[in-house]
Amino acid sequence: GAVVSQHPSRVICKSGTSVKIECRSLDFQATTMFWYRQFPKQSLMLMATSNEGSKATYEQGVEKDKFLINHASLTLSTLTVTSAHPEDSSFYICSASWAYYLEAFFGQGTRLTVV
Amino acid sequence: AQTVTQSQPEMSVQEAETVTLSCTYDTSESDYYLFWYKQPPSRQMILVIRQEAYKQQNATENRFSVNFQKAAKSFSLKISDSQLGDAAMYFCAYEGANFGNEKLTFGTGTRLTIIP
């Protein structure tokens, strides 16, 4: 299957700072990328959908000014958590899909800890 | 909006035995896709099996098979000859087939334990 690489796998940042998470499709062009958040022992909750070259579509309740998503190319999407707070600590997962695939491919996830 | 329900938070099975995980969903769409994903302790999401709603035949992948009942909106996963490596969280997921609606809606998951 196709490979999606997410970086970093773990990050610790201080409260009030910003942190960027990258999601790359390594062997295909991802027309759409998705960002999920997963709290411990819970399911994946979709945060936003991004299409290359256009603004991301955020799910209800997700603060677009706090979670900035950029999908500047067909192989890279980034999620920036701005002015991070301890309650933003979570596991963030990206997935990428291409129009002709029936499935999305997931990155390895990023564990964010805000101290 | 679509919803996916997994009513079994935890399941356990003896190694080499068979276990069935339940999933129901609600949708007004006629065409869609259903998936079972596995999330081991590494937390990497791994696709186990998928089913296209327009196909009547149940999908099968080696030891994994589904029982897809479209009218009942039910999509259960059967794991045969359970192995220790099958221990993981299993998520049922729904995806709309219409262009622009490819996002996945996940159930709450079932934690599967394999008893040696």
Side-chain angles (χ1 to χ4, degrees):
Chain A
V3 179
V4 175
S5 177
Q6 190 172 338
H7 178 80
S9 57
R10 290 174 179 262
V11 60
I12 301 173
C13 71
K14 291 186 177 181
S15 186
T17 63
S18 296
V19 60
K20 180 184 287 187
I21 302 170
E22 292 187 348
C23 180
R24 293 181 183 273
S25 57
L26 298 185
D27 51 3
F28 70 103
Q29 294 183 323
T31 49
T32 307
M33 287 188 172
F34 304 88
W35 288 95
Y36 297 86
R37 183 173 181 175
Q38 186 179 30
F39 289 105
K41 298 185 179 181
Q42 293 190 24
S43 187
L44 282 73
M45 299 299 297
L46 181 66
M47 299 174 65
T49 303
S50 73
N51 294 295
E52 185 265 342
S54 60
K55 289 185 177 180
T57 301
Y58 290 81
E59 295 298 301
Q60 191 173 7
V62 177
E63 299 176 61
K64 60 181 67 177
D65 293 332
K66 165 168 273 298
F67 299 100
L68 300 179
I69 292 172
N70 183 277
H71 193 164
S73 77
L74 283 172
T75 58
L76 174 64
S77 177
T78 60
L79 167 66
T80 301
V81 182
T82 62
S83 186
H85 290 134
E87 56 264 33
D88 298 325
S89 298
S90 190
F91 192 70
Y92 294 88
I93 308 175
C94 72
S95 72
S97 68
W98 182 49
Y100 298 99
Y101 286 154
L102 291 181
E103 65 183 271
F105 300 93
F106 285 83
Q108 307 96 314
T110 297
R111 181 181 301 280
L112 170 63
T113 303
V114 185
V115 299
Chain B
Q2 293 78 25
T3 58
V4 178
T5 301
Q6 292 178 250
S7 59
Q8 306 155 315
E10 297 184 354
M11 291 282 285
S12 61
V13 62
Q14 206 79 30
E15 191 176 3
E17 295 296 309
T18 296
V19 63
T20 298
L21 309 184
S22 300
C23 173
T24 59
Y25 59 95
D26 190 27
T27 183
S28 58
E29 298 176 323
S30 59
D31 199 14
Y32 47 87
Y33 307 107
L34 296 166
F35 303 86
W36 278 97
Y37 281 92
K38 168 184 176 181
Q39 189 180 42
S42 68
R43 303 190 78 171
Q44 172 73 56
M45 296 292 285
I46 301 167
L47 177 66
V48 175
I49 199 166
R50 68 165 180 254
Q51 174 82 42
E52 290 92 327
Y54 65 86
K55 291 186 177 179
Q56 292 187 335
Q57 187 172 7
N58 290 323
T60 300
E61 287 287 342
N62 300 314
R63 298 183 295 109
F64 300 89
S65 62
V66 298
N67 183 1
F68 173 49
Q69 302 289 327
K70 191 173 184 178
K73 295 179 181 174
S74 171
F75 183 61
S76 61
L77 174 70
K78 185 171 81 171
I79 306 174
S80 303
D81 186 26
S82 298
Q83 300 176 0
L84 294 177
D86 295 333
M89 281 290 291
Y90 285 81
F91 292 100
C92 178
Y94 172 102
E95 177 184 325
N98 295 326
F99 181 77
N101 192 28
E102 298 93 347
K103 63 182 182 181
L104 286 166
T105 301
F106 288 90
T108 50
T110 297
R111 180 172 300 280
L112 178 63
T113 301
I114 310 297
I115 303 166

